[in-house]
Amino acid sequence: MTLDEMKAERERVLARRNSLVARVTVGDRTVQYDLTQANHVLSDLDRRIAVLEGRKPRRRILAVATKGL
């Protein structure tokens, strides 16, 4: 995939995710949909676009501390 194709695919996935309904209520029943798959696809496309553009990937540092109990 070229860079332009990836950016177009990202826009399509983003539009599709934004058009999805997270919760539907019919009568007394409610259904909650999970949108994590679309979020994973978007983050993967963002990572691949960043690599092609020559940007460094974002790094996350997590600090954890305990009291030693």
Side-chain angles (χ1 to χ4, degrees):
M1 263 185 153
T2 65
L3 181 60
D4 292 332
E5 290 172 342
M6 281 191 206
K7 286 183 178 181
E9 180 67 21
R10 184 188 185 287
E11 291 302 318
R12 282 193 295 270
V13 171
L14 187 61
R16 200 171 338 152
R17 186 196 67 178
N18 291 340
S19 69
L20 293 175
V21 177
R23 182 180 299 190
V24 176
T25 302
V26 177
D28 61 344
R29 300 182 76 189
T30 301
V31 177
Q32 179 84 19
Y33 292 103
D34 191 11
L35 302 178
T36 57
Q37 184 177 5
N39 292 335
H40 287 299
V41 170
L42 281 173
S43 65
D44 181 54
L45 281 170
D46 286 339
R47 182 188 54 79
R48 291 169 57 192
I49 288 170
V51 168
L52 286 178
E53 289 180 340
R55 294 182 290 165
K56 293 184 179 180
R58 290 184 180 177
R59 303 215 186 269
R60 181 173 37 176
I61 298 172
L62 179 63
V64 179
T66 63
K67 289 184 171 184
L69 299 175

